[in-house]
Every structure is written in C-alpha cells, then in structure tokens.
Amino acid sequence: MNYWLLKSEPEAFGIEHLQALPGQTTHWDGVRNYQARNLLRDQIKRGDRAFFYHSNTAMPGIVGLVEIAREGYPDYTAFDPADEHYDPKSDPGRPSWYMVDVKLVRPLKRTIPLTELKAHAAALGDFALIRRGNRLSVMPVSAAQWEYVLGLE
DNA sequence: GCCAACGTTGGC
DNA sequence: GCCAACGTTGGC
C-alpha cells in the first residue's frame, strides 16, 4: 500500500462535503497538471490511503484520511463544455486527464496545520508538501511520513 | 490583496 | 528548442 496527499480548496470541496455524500465517496476530478495526472493514472492504486489537505484557506492543513476506492479513469468533466474544468484538447478516445474515486476513512480529530508540519520538517525528511514552492495537488507521502503525521494528531 | 514560484503558451 | 509573457497556485 502507498500513501498520498490530495489537496482541495475547502470552499470548492472540503471534507465536510465528502462527509455529507452518500457512501462518503466521490470522484476526485479537476486535476489539470501533468505530473499529478501521471500519479492519478499510473501510480495510485485501489486501497491506497491519502491525506485530505485543505489549501487556500485561513488554516491550511491536513484534515482527514481517505482511501482510494477506484483507480485512475478518464476525468469526464474535461469533456463537458459546461464544466469549469472543461478542456477541449482532451479527446474521449485519448483522454488527457484522469481521476480516482476516494472514500472517507475518517476526519482527523483536529486539523494538523501546515505551520506545524513545517515545524517538524527535520523529522519528516523530504516531504513534498513542504518543499519550497511546491504546488502539486497530488503528491506522494512515504510510509514513515504517514505514521509520523498521524502521531501528531 | 500581494507576490513568489511554477507551468504553459506561442513567437521566433 | 529557447525564452519572454502570461496565467495559476496558494501561503501569508
């Protein structure tokens, strides 16, 4: 099993939205970055776990745990002209963009803020989230980092 | 709202 | 293929 971190702006889709869904499961659509796409399409497997991270908000940080419920498949929102993530260059016969399904495992008891993760940078090692200038919305987390962060909860 | 960092686009 | 201009991300 591998571990990941998935970013979302809570105003657009936060953990509260996921909690309210039937089955607490949804498709993780709208990723429009090739590096993140490659992870969604090729690396992330059913049963993997991921941190749910809130970005672009008053207190950015890790707010919950999710499980990958379905492996990479074409992000159909790219084919829909009415969708805000529409991409006319993505051809259904050869999709540019992929998504996975995620299921809520549980919210964390508290948000683990980015500031706190940064304070533990030495113990976390090379953690993608706190690398300078990082903007990836899907990123890998090592097993050791996963355990360490859970220990902060 | 500011701005640094990064990705993408397009002229050449 | 280079690189300047532009758009986006996201912390602060």
Side-chain angles (χ1 to χ4, degrees), chain A residues 9-104:
Chain A
E9 300 192 12
E11 200 171 312
F13 186 84
I15 195 161
E16 293 82 5
H17 295 99
L18 182 57
Q19 275 187 286
L21 289 176
Q24 300 188 325
T25 301
T26 192
H27 49 271
W28 198 269
D29 65 294
V31 174
R32 298 289 181 269
N33 167 283
Y34 288 105
Q35 213 179 326
R37 185 280 309 275
N38 292 345
L39 294 176
L40 291 170
R41 187 187 60 189
D42 307 329
Q43 302 294 127
I44 302 183
K45 299 302 178 187
R46 184 182 164 85
D48 284 357
R49 295 281 171 113
F51 289 131
F52 192 131
Y53 178 88
H54 280 176
S55 66
N56 216 352
T57 187
M59 192 202 287
I62 295 170
V63 295
L65 311 179
V66 297
E67 179 177 337
I68 305 305
R70 181 177 173 187
E71 289 179 18
Y73 61 106
D75 181 341
Y76 51 74
T77 66
F79 310 138
D80 177 4
D83 194 279
E84 67 171 316
H85 299 297
Y86 175 58
D87 180 0
K89 295 192 296 301
S90 186
D91 170 7
R94 207 165 173 283
S96 301
W97 307 114
Y98 281 73
M99 59 186 174
V100 297
D101 287 355
V102 301
K103 179 181 171 60
L104 182 67

XYZ file of all heavy atoms in Angstrom, chain A residues 9-104:
779
model
N -9.409 22.937 -2.192
C -9.817 24.168 -1.528
C -11.168 23.903 -0.879
O -12.126 23.553 -1.563
C -9.933 25.308 -2.544
C -8.628 25.582 -3.258
C -8.655 26.881 -4.053
O -9.589 27.671 -3.864
O -7.720 27.090 -4.850
N -11.248 24.067 0.444
C -12.475 23.689 1.156
C -13.702 24.457 0.680
O -14.817 23.960 0.779
C -12.159 23.989 2.619
C -10.952 24.851 2.601
C -10.206 24.555 1.340
N -13.469 25.638 0.133
C -14.602 26.406 -0.377
C -15.211 25.698 -1.594
O -16.422 25.721 -1.803
C -14.131 27.810 -0.765
C -15.253 28.824 -0.834
C -14.718 30.232 -1.001
O -13.789 30.614 -0.239
O -15.208 30.938 -1.894
N -14.353 25.055 -2.380
C -14.827 24.321 -3.559
C -15.297 22.924 -3.171
O -16.389 22.494 -3.535
C -13.716 24.237 -4.596
N -14.445 22.213 -2.442
C -14.809 20.872 -1.975
C -13.970 20.531 -0.764
O -12.788 20.228 -0.882
C -14.609 19.821 -3.079
C -15.101 18.458 -2.682
C -16.444 18.118 -2.826
C -14.225 17.520 -2.121
C -16.915 16.866 -2.435
C -14.685 16.271 -1.730
C -16.032 15.941 -1.890
N -14.591 20.584 0.398
C -13.887 20.293 1.640
C -14.323 18.975 2.231
O -15.209 18.300 1.700
N -13.711 18.620 3.335
C -14.017 17.331 3.949
C -15.473 17.271 4.429
O -16.078 16.199 4.444
C -13.020 17.005 5.083
C -13.127 15.525 5.450
C -13.209 17.922 6.283
C -11.926 14.992 6.189
N -16.025 18.428 4.739
C -17.441 18.442 5.127
C -18.326 18.004 3.964
O -19.344 17.341 4.165
C -17.863 19.835 5.605
C -17.208 20.271 6.920
C -15.792 20.829 6.727
O -15.356 20.975 5.560
O -15.111 21.103 7.733
N -17.940 18.392 2.757
C -18.706 17.968 1.585
C -18.630 16.455 1.420
O -19.633 15.799 1.152
C -18.169 18.638 0.317
C -18.328 20.129 0.299
N -17.303 20.989 0.622
C -19.399 20.910 0.025
C -17.729 22.242 0.532
N -19.001 22.226 0.178
N -17.421 15.913 1.598
C -17.239 14.467 1.444
C -18.066 13.713 2.489
O -18.724 12.717 2.186
C -15.757 14.112 1.573
C -15.396 12.635 1.397
C -15.870 12.104 0.043
C -13.884 12.436 1.536
N -18.044 14.211 3.710
C -18.796 13.571 4.791
C -20.284 13.514 4.500
O -20.987 12.608 4.926
C -18.600 14.358 6.100
C -17.362 13.966 6.868
C -17.338 14.658 8.232
O -17.075 15.842 8.319
N -17.616 13.904 9.275
N -20.776 14.516 3.776
C -22.217 14.629 3.547
C -22.687 13.767 2.379
O -23.892 13.581 2.200
C -22.582 16.092 3.291
N -21.741 13.235 1.593
C -22.142 12.471 0.405
C -22.586 11.064 0.779
O -22.074 10.487 1.733
C -20.963 12.386 -0.571
C -20.588 13.678 -1.280
C -19.348 13.450 -2.135
C -21.743 14.180 -2.134
N -23.498 10.502 -0.011
C -23.891 9.111 0.206
C -22.679 8.201 0.039
O -21.944 8.341 -0.925
C -24.926 8.836 -0.898
C -25.141 10.095 -1.634
C -24.176 11.121 -1.161
N -22.461 7.323 0.978
C -21.297 6.440 0.904
C -19.992 7.161 1.202
O -18.934 6.554 1.188
N -20.083 8.466 1.462
C -18.898 9.287 1.737
C -17.795 9.028 0.713
O -16.619 8.918 1.038
C -18.410 9.064 3.171
C -19.491 9.439 4.201
C -19.003 9.413 5.627
O -18.172 8.570 5.974
N -19.499 10.332 6.450
N -18.234 8.911 -0.538
C -17.338 8.585 -1.647
C -17.589 9.566 -2.783
O -18.728 9.957 -3.018
C -17.622 7.148 -2.144
O -17.438 6.239 -1.065
C -16.698 6.760 -3.293
N -16.499 9.949 -3.474
C -16.665 10.820 -4.641
C -15.517 10.621 -5.609
O -14.525 9.978 -5.287
C -16.745 12.303 -4.224
O -17.183 13.081 -5.335
C -15.390 12.825 -3.762
N -15.690 11.167 -6.819
C -14.581 11.156 -7.764
C -13.769 12.429 -7.543
O -14.314 13.496 -7.287
C -15.070 11.058 -9.207
C -16.154 12.028 -9.548
N -17.488 11.726 -9.379
C -16.107 13.289 -10.004
C -18.211 12.770 -9.745
N -17.403 13.745 -10.113
N -12.449 12.289 -7.630
C -11.531 13.407 -7.385
C -11.191 14.022 -8.735
O -10.159 13.745 -9.325
C -10.280 12.894 -6.671
C -9.520 13.989 -6.018
C -8.504 14.721 -6.559
C -9.726 14.504 -4.701
N -8.070 15.659 -5.656
C -8.792 15.540 -4.504
C -10.612 14.187 -3.659
C -8.725 16.272 -3.320
C -10.542 14.900 -2.486
C -9.603 15.934 -2.320
N -12.079 14.895 -9.216
C -11.943 15.412 -10.576
C -11.270 16.779 -10.596
O -11.050 17.394 -9.552
C -13.332 15.520 -11.219
C -14.207 16.548 -10.507
O -14.547 16.326 -9.338
O -14.519 17.593 -11.111
N -10.945 17.228 -11.784
C -10.475 18.594 -11.970
C -8.977 18.789 -11.894
O -8.507 19.920 -11.993
N -8.210 17.720 -11.719
C -6.751 17.880 -11.691
C -6.267 18.127 -13.119
O -6.499 17.319 -14.011
C -6.072 16.633 -11.088
C -4.557 16.743 -11.198
C -6.497 16.454 -9.635
N -5.614 19.276 -13.318
C -5.175 19.671 -14.669
C -3.692 20.004 -14.661
O -3.261 21.086 -15.070
C -5.995 20.881 -15.163
C -7.497 20.610 -15.285
C -7.821 19.681 -16.438
N -9.252 19.433 -16.565
C -9.896 18.418 -15.969
N -9.237 17.565 -15.198
N -11.195 18.244 -16.156
N -2.933 19.065 -14.166
C -1.481 19.218 -14.114
C -0.897 17.860 -14.484
O -1.358 16.833 -13.973
C -1.068 19.657 -12.703
C 0.430 19.548 -12.465
O 0.948 18.445 -12.248
N 1.129 20.658 -12.494
N 0.077 17.849 -15.392
C 0.523 16.578 -15.957
C 1.215 15.671 -14.948
O 1.059 14.461 -14.971
C 1.421 16.819 -17.174
C 0.627 17.312 -18.365
C 0.667 18.640 -18.767
C -0.203 16.446 -19.067
C -0.082 19.090 -19.842
C -0.963 16.886 -20.144
C -0.897 18.209 -20.524
O -1.649 18.644 -21.581
N 1.975 16.270 -14.053
C 2.674 15.464 -13.052
C 1.666 14.785 -12.131
O 1.782 13.596 -11.823
C 3.598 16.387 -12.242
C 4.872 15.732 -11.786
C 5.743 16.712 -11.014
O 5.757 17.909 -11.313
N 6.450 16.223 -10.025
N 0.661 15.550 -11.720
C -0.379 14.993 -10.862
C -1.208 13.974 -11.644
O -1.593 12.931 -11.115
C -1.270 16.113 -10.323
N -1.460 14.269 -12.909
C -2.202 13.344 -13.767
C -1.508 11.983 -13.833
O -2.135 10.922 -13.739
C -2.325 13.955 -15.173
C -3.180 13.175 -16.179
C -2.471 11.978 -16.821
N -1.175 12.237 -17.400
C -0.974 12.706 -18.636
N -2.000 12.996 -19.413
N 0.259 12.867 -19.084
N -0.192 12.025 -13.997
C 0.552 10.766 -14.090
C 0.399 9.929 -12.831
O 0.291 8.706 -12.899
C 2.024 11.046 -14.363
C 2.256 11.623 -15.753
O 1.364 11.568 -16.609
N 3.429 12.185 -15.966
N 0.392 10.587 -11.687
C 0.196 9.855 -10.430
C -1.204 9.241 -10.393
O -1.362 8.073 -10.047
C 0.398 10.779 -9.228
C 1.818 11.318 -9.034
C 1.859 12.301 -7.864
C 2.810 10.185 -8.792
N -2.202 10.022 -10.761
C -3.587 9.529 -10.735
C -3.767 8.362 -11.705
O -4.469 7.392 -11.419
C -4.561 10.651 -11.104
C -4.701 11.788 -10.092
C -5.507 12.935 -10.694
C -5.376 11.291 -8.806
N -3.145 8.473 -12.860
C -3.343 7.465 -13.912
C -2.545 6.197 -13.665
O -3.020 5.092 -13.909
C -2.940 8.071 -15.267
C -3.257 7.184 -16.464
C -2.673 7.772 -17.733
N -1.208 7.906 -17.624
C -0.459 8.547 -18.517
N -1.024 9.132 -19.556
N 0.845 8.624 -18.349
N -1.307 6.371 -13.156
C -0.378 5.239 -13.170
C 0.032 4.693 -11.805
O 0.404 3.533 -11.697
C 0.921 5.650 -13.890
C 0.661 6.224 -15.278
O -0.321 5.796 -15.915
O 1.429 7.106 -15.703
N 0.007 5.539 -10.803
C 0.654 5.135 -9.548
C -0.312 4.802 -8.414
O -0.022 3.956 -7.589
C 1.584 6.263 -9.063
C 2.669 6.652 -10.043
C 3.676 5.545 -10.254
O 3.947 5.147 -11.375
N 4.205 5.001 -9.164
N -1.408 5.517 -8.379
C -2.303 5.399 -7.232
C -3.202 4.184 -7.408
O -3.857 4.025 -8.433
C -3.112 6.698 -7.060
C -2.150 7.881 -6.887
C -4.074 6.589 -5.887
C -2.811 9.212 -6.633
N -3.194 3.317 -6.404
C -3.904 2.046 -6.526
C -5.062 1.944 -5.540
O -5.049 2.570 -4.478
C -2.922 0.884 -6.267
C -1.771 0.829 -7.255
C -2.257 0.707 -8.699
C -1.089 0.711 -9.686
N -1.581 0.764 -11.082
N -6.020 1.118 -5.907
C -7.143 0.848 -5.026
C -6.615 0.352 -3.676
O -5.720 -0.496 -3.623
C -8.035 -0.228 -5.667
C -9.290 -0.530 -4.913
C -10.056 -1.646 -5.638
N -11.074 -2.219 -4.763
C -12.308 -1.703 -4.616
N -12.658 -0.640 -5.311
N -13.166 -2.261 -3.796
N -7.166 0.911 -2.608
C -6.728 0.506 -1.272
C -5.651 1.415 -0.693
O -5.407 1.394 0.514
N -4.992 2.205 -1.549
C -4.018 3.183 -1.033
C -4.748 4.182 -0.143
O -5.953 4.386 -0.266
C -3.341 3.939 -2.180
C -2.275 3.107 -2.896
O -2.029 1.968 -2.470
O -1.699 3.614 -3.886
N -3.968 4.815 0.725
C -4.531 5.828 1.620
C -3.983 7.205 1.277
O -2.868 7.309 0.754
C -4.170 5.496 3.084
C -4.788 4.211 3.601
C -6.232 4.431 3.972
N -6.921 3.178 4.272
C -7.360 2.856 5.491
N -7.146 3.657 6.517
N -8.025 1.723 5.676
N -4.765 8.228 1.608
C -4.298 9.586 1.329
C -4.749 10.550 2.418
O -5.822 10.374 3.017
C -4.812 10.067 -0.024
N -3.910 11.550 2.648
C -4.312 12.670 3.491
C -5.194 13.595 2.671
O -4.905 13.858 1.494
C -3.081 13.465 3.958
C -2.228 12.764 4.972
C -0.852 12.684 4.803
C -2.793 12.193 6.113
C -0.048 12.054 5.745
C -1.995 11.560 7.063
C -0.628 11.483 6.872
N -6.234 14.096 3.293
C -7.095 15.111 2.681
C -6.605 16.457 3.219
O -6.639 16.698 4.427
C -8.548 14.845 3.092
C -9.584 15.630 2.313
C -10.684 14.973 1.765
C -9.488 17.001 2.149
C -11.659 15.673 1.063
C -10.447 17.710 1.439
C -11.547 17.046 0.894
N -6.116 17.309 2.316
C -5.492 18.580 2.705
C -6.332 19.756 2.233
O -6.768 19.782 1.076
C -4.096 18.645 2.066
C -3.325 19.913 2.332
C -2.520 20.033 3.460
C -3.387 20.982 1.441
C -1.800 21.200 3.702
C -2.671 22.151 1.672
C -1.885 22.248 2.808
O -1.167 23.402 3.033
N -6.551 20.699 3.116
C -7.261 21.928 2.760
C -6.253 23.021 2.411
O -5.427 23.403 3.243
C -8.123 22.412 3.931
C -9.432 21.685 4.057
N -10.312 21.919 5.096
C -10.018 20.742 3.272
C -11.389 21.141 4.936
N -11.233 20.409 3.846
N -6.333 23.525 1.176
C -5.434 24.598 0.750
C -6.205 25.899 0.585
O -7.439 25.905 0.504
C -4.768 24.226 -0.579
O -5.729 24.172 -1.613
N -5.433 26.986 0.509
C -6.012 28.292 0.192
C -7.128 28.674 1.152
O -8.210 29.098 0.740
C -6.539 28.274 -1.246
C -6.338 29.605 -1.930
O -5.947 30.586 -1.315
N -6.611 29.640 -3.206
N -6.860 28.491 2.423
C -7.863 28.797 3.431
C -7.162 29.371 4.662
O -5.929 29.425 4.697
C -8.647 27.502 3.781
O -9.723 27.819 4.635
C -7.742 26.481 4.420
N -7.921 29.829 5.630
C -7.326 30.513 6.774
C -6.293 29.644 7.486
O -5.225 30.125 7.858
C -8.421 30.944 7.746
N -6.640 28.366 7.693
C -5.662 27.460 8.298
C -5.461 26.241 7.406
O -6.098 25.205 7.584
C -6.105 26.999 9.689
C -4.968 26.305 10.450
S -5.544 25.223 11.771
C -6.073 26.418 12.984
N -4.531 26.365 6.426
C -4.275 25.216 5.554
C -3.687 24.072 6.366
O -2.878 24.302 7.278
C -3.283 25.749 4.534
C -2.702 26.987 5.125
C -3.688 27.522 6.101
N -4.085 22.845 6.044
C -3.543 21.700 6.770
C -4.265 20.416 6.420
O -5.197 20.399 5.610
N -3.816 19.346 7.074
C -4.395 18.021 6.850
C -5.612 17.859 7.751
O -5.539 18.089 8.961
C -3.347 16.933 7.124
C -2.214 17.042 6.098
C -3.988 15.537 7.074
C -1.015 16.168 6.408
N -6.725 17.471 7.157
C -7.981 17.422 7.908
C -8.605 16.031 7.981
O -9.547 15.830 8.748
C -9.024 18.397 7.312
C -8.543 19.839 7.479
C -9.311 18.076 5.856
N -8.112 15.095 7.174
C -8.750 13.777 7.202
C -7.966 12.727 6.442
O -6.917 13.018 5.846
N -8.499 11.502 6.504
C -7.903 10.367 5.801
C -8.926 9.801 4.830
O -10.101 9.661 5.180
C -7.517 9.260 6.797
C -6.716 9.678 8.030
C -6.440 8.458 8.914
C -5.411 10.350 7.618
N -8.451 9.486 3.628
C -9.329 8.854 2.645
C -8.646 7.614 2.086
O -7.433 7.443 2.192
C -9.693 9.812 1.484
C -10.477 11.013 1.995
C -8.454 10.258 0.725
N -9.479 6.753 1.493
C -8.985 5.547 0.852
C -9.309 5.620 -0.636
O -10.365 6.135 -1.013
C -9.678 4.333 1.485
C -9.275 3.008 0.877
C -9.944 1.832 1.592
O -10.334 1.978 2.764
O -10.093 0.779 0.947
N -8.416 5.111 -1.456
C -8.685 5.077 -2.898
C -9.667 3.941 -3.167
O -9.363 2.766 -2.937
C -7.384 4.874 -3.713
C -6.346 5.944 -3.351
C -7.698 4.868 -5.205
C -6.809 7.380 -3.486
N -10.847 4.302 -3.654
C -11.910 3.322 -3.868
C -11.959 2.854 -5.317
O -12.508 1.801 -5.619
C -13.263 3.924 -3.471
N -11.395 3.647 -6.222
C -11.332 3.255 -7.639
C -10.092 3.861 -8.250
O -9.795 5.036 -8.036
C -12.589 3.744 -8.373
C -12.588 3.357 -9.839
C -13.857 3.775 -10.556
N -13.731 3.531 -11.992
C -14.628 3.926 -12.899
N -15.715 4.577 -12.523
N -14.434 3.655 -14.177
N -9.377 3.057 -9.017
C -8.134 3.518 -9.637
C -8.406 4.421 -10.830
O -9.539 4.507 -11.316
C -7.305 2.307 -10.081
C -6.718 1.562 -8.890
C -5.915 0.339 -9.297
O -5.521 0.242 -10.466
O -5.689 -0.527 -8.429
N -7.355 5.039 -11.310
C -7.448 6.054 -12.359
C -8.331 5.704 -13.539
O -8.195 4.640 -14.130
N -9.206 6.629 -13.875
C -10.046 6.500 -15.071
C -10.264 7.903 -15.627
O -10.037 8.887 -14.922
C -11.361 5.771 -14.759
C -12.271 6.430 -13.741
C -13.442 7.082 -14.159
C -11.994 6.391 -12.372
C -14.300 7.672 -13.231
C -12.841 6.979 -11.441
C -13.994 7.617 -11.874
O -14.835 8.204 -10.955
N -10.677 8.004 -16.901
C -10.734 9.337 -17.521
C -11.611 10.312 -16.751
O -12.705 9.965 -16.317
C -11.319 9.038 -18.902
C -10.889 7.633 -19.190
C -10.964 6.930 -17.857
N -11.112 11.515 -16.587
C -11.865 12.592 -15.932
C -12.850 13.157 -16.950
O -12.488 13.953 -17.810
C -10.890 13.665 -15.445
C -11.602 14.808 -14.728
O -12.832 14.971 -14.894
O -10.919 15.551 -13.997
N -14.092 12.722 -16.855
C -15.083 13.097 -17.875
C -15.499 14.561 -17.771
O -16.124 15.088 -18.685
C -16.306 12.182 -17.802
C -16.924 12.022 -16.431
C -17.678 13.044 -15.866
C -16.748 10.851 -15.694
C -18.232 12.907 -14.610
C -17.300 10.702 -14.437
C -18.048 11.732 -13.896
O -18.584 11.594 -12.641
N -15.156 15.239 -16.673
C -15.514 16.664 -16.604
C -14.739 17.447 -17.681
O -15.163 18.521 -18.084
C -15.232 17.276 -15.222
O -13.822 17.292 -14.971
C -15.929 16.494 -14.115
N -13.629 16.876 -18.159
C -12.846 17.542 -19.202
C -13.577 17.549 -20.540
O -13.260 18.340 -21.427
C -11.491 16.851 -19.366
N -14.576 16.649 -20.697
C -15.299 16.549 -21.982
C -16.556 17.405 -22.008
O -17.233 17.485 -23.028
C -15.707 15.088 -22.249
C -14.601 14.089 -22.107
C -14.815 12.865 -21.482
C -13.323 14.371 -22.600
C -13.791 11.934 -21.352
C -12.290 13.446 -22.465
C -12.526 12.225 -21.841
N -16.870 18.020 -20.872
C -18.147 18.730 -20.738
C -17.948 20.245 -20.861
O -17.407 20.876 -19.955
C -18.759 18.377 -19.374
C -20.064 19.119 -19.114
O -20.531 19.854 -20.012
O -20.606 18.970 -17.997
N -18.381 20.818 -21.977
C -18.175 22.261 -22.197
C -18.776 23.125 -21.096
O -18.343 24.264 -20.899
C -18.897 22.529 -23.526
C -18.996 21.208 -24.194
C -19.080 20.184 -23.096
N -19.757 22.582 -20.391
C -20.404 23.367 -19.337
C -19.623 23.295 -18.027
O -19.895 24.049 -17.092
C -21.833 22.873 -19.116
N -18.673 22.384 -17.946
C -17.928 22.213 -16.696
C -16.788 23.221 -16.614
O -16.163 23.560 -17.619
C -17.362 20.790 -16.626
C -16.876 20.448 -15.225
O -15.733 20.859 -14.857
O -17.626 19.784 -14.484
N -16.531 23.689 -15.406
C -15.473 24.701 -15.252
C -14.082 24.137 -15.545
O -13.142 24.890 -15.791
C -15.523 25.330 -13.854
C -15.172 24.371 -12.741
C -15.018 25.085 -11.393
O -14.387 26.160 -11.355
O -15.533 24.562 -10.384
N -13.945 22.824 -15.530
C -12.646 22.211 -15.838
C -12.606 21.638 -17.256
O -11.766 20.790 -17.573
C -12.320 21.109 -14.823
C -12.229 21.593 -13.408
N -11.285 22.510 -13.002
C -12.970 21.319 -12.312
C -11.452 22.765 -11.715
N -12.469 22.061 -11.276
N -13.545 22.098 -18.091
C -13.597 21.645 -19.487
C -12.273 21.892 -20.189
O -11.668 22.955 -20.054
C -14.705 22.416 -20.217
C -14.792 22.149 -21.690
C -14.995 20.854 -22.160
C -14.687 23.185 -22.617
C -15.093 20.605 -23.522
C -14.785 22.950 -23.979
C -14.979 21.653 -24.432
O -15.074 21.409 -25.777
N -11.818 20.885 -20.927
C -10.589 21.027 -21.707
C -10.829 20.474 -23.112
O -10.842 19.260 -23.307
C -9.437 20.271 -21.040
C -8.144 20.401 -21.839
O -8.148 21.072 -22.895
O -7.127 19.824 -21.404
N -11.015 21.377 -24.073
C -11.343 20.934 -25.432
C -10.254 20.059 -26.052
O -10.507 19.337 -27.016
C -11.495 22.256 -26.210
C -10.828 23.289 -25.379
C -10.930 22.832 -23.955
N -9.045 20.107 -25.491
C -7.957 19.306 -26.054
C -7.990 17.855 -25.562
O -7.246 17.020 -26.058
C -6.604 19.946 -25.718
C -6.410 21.315 -26.379
C -4.979 21.828 -26.283
C -4.517 22.084 -24.860
N -5.349 23.074 -24.136
N -8.851 17.591 -24.565
C -8.946 16.216 -24.080
C -9.982 15.457 -24.901
O -11.158 15.796 -24.912
C -9.337 16.197 -22.598
O -9.300 14.868 -22.096
N -9.506 14.430 -25.600
C -10.344 13.640 -26.502
C -10.770 12.359 -25.770
O -9.922 11.648 -25.239
C -9.484 13.319 -27.741
C -10.140 12.292 -28.650
O -11.301 11.919 -28.429
O -9.453 11.869 -29.611
N -12.089 12.078 -25.764
C -12.551 10.858 -25.066
C -11.829 9.602 -25.545
O -11.670 8.646 -24.777
C -14.043 10.805 -25.409
C -14.433 12.223 -25.662
C -13.219 12.881 -26.281
N -11.381 9.589 -26.799
C -10.656 8.430 -27.299
C -9.220 8.373 -26.791
O -8.561 7.330 -26.835
N -8.775 9.513 -26.313
C -7.398 9.598 -25.812
C -7.368 10.690 -24.740
O -6.857 11.776 -24.957
C -6.458 9.966 -26.983
C -5.052 9.474 -26.805
C -4.269 9.533 -28.125
N -2.858 9.209 -27.903
C -1.968 10.050 -27.381
N -2.309 11.275 -27.084
N -0.713 9.652 -27.186
N -7.930 10.365 -23.568
C -8.149 11.386 -22.529
C -6.846 11.989 -22.017
O -5.871 11.271 -21.814
C -8.836 10.606 -21.403
C -9.223 9.286 -21.982
C -8.317 9.021 -23.139
N -6.873 13.290 -21.823
C -5.708 13.959 -21.253
C -5.664 13.833 -19.737
O -4.594 13.847 -19.140
C -5.742 15.455 -21.588
O -5.746 15.677 -22.974
N -6.860 13.749 -19.131
C -6.927 13.880 -17.681
C -7.607 12.687 -17.019
O -8.532 12.104 -17.578
C -7.649 15.184 -17.303
C -7.039 16.368 -17.989
C -7.607 17.161 -18.932
C -5.705 16.881 -17.793
N -6.725 18.127 -19.343
C -5.556 17.981 -18.666
C -4.638 16.513 -16.982
C -4.365 18.716 -18.739
C -3.456 17.246 -17.055
C -3.329 18.328 -17.916
N -7.127 12.388 -15.824
C -7.623 11.213 -15.091
C -8.056 11.599 -13.693
O -7.653 12.630 -13.148
C -6.540 10.134 -15.042
C -6.452 9.356 -16.331
C -5.901 9.947 -17.466
C -6.958 8.063 -16.431
C -5.856 9.261 -18.664
C -6.909 7.368 -17.633
C -6.359 7.973 -18.752
O -6.324 7.298 -19.941
N -8.871 10.731 -13.111
C -9.275 10.936 -11.724
C -9.367 9.582 -11.034
O -9.309 8.534 -11.678
C -10.610 11.671 -11.657
C -11.757 10.983 -12.332
S -13.205 12.099 -12.303
C -14.345 11.157 -13.300
N -9.479 9.614 -9.727
C -9.708 8.403 -8.933
C -10.945 8.662 -8.071
O -11.403 9.801 -7.969
C -8.503 8.066 -8.018
C -7.248 7.767 -8.837
C -8.239 9.192 -7.015
N -11.479 7.598 -7.497
C -12.540 7.774 -6.501
C -11.935 7.648 -5.116
O -11.056 6.807 -4.890
C -13.638 6.710 -6.665
C -14.501 6.957 -7.894
O -14.308 7.997 -8.563
O -15.360 6.106 -8.176
N -12.408 8.479 -4.209
C -11.937 8.410 -2.829
C -13.119 8.224 -1.885
O -14.217 8.719 -2.134
C -11.146 9.670 -2.406
C -9.936 9.874 -3.300
C -12.028 10.900 -2.398
N -12.835 7.484 -0.818
C -13.845 7.239 0.210
C -13.293 7.724 1.541
O -12.132 7.457 1.871
C -14.141 5.735 0.276
C -15.168 5.327 1.322
C -15.345 3.807 1.299
C -16.182 3.320 2.459
N -17.544 3.894 2.470
N -14.107 8.421 2.273
C -13.656 8.926 3.578
C -13.352 7.772 4.522
O -14.156 6.847 4.654
C -14.744 9.809 4.192
C -14.396 10.443 5.542
C -13.273 11.469 5.394
C -15.620 11.099 6.160
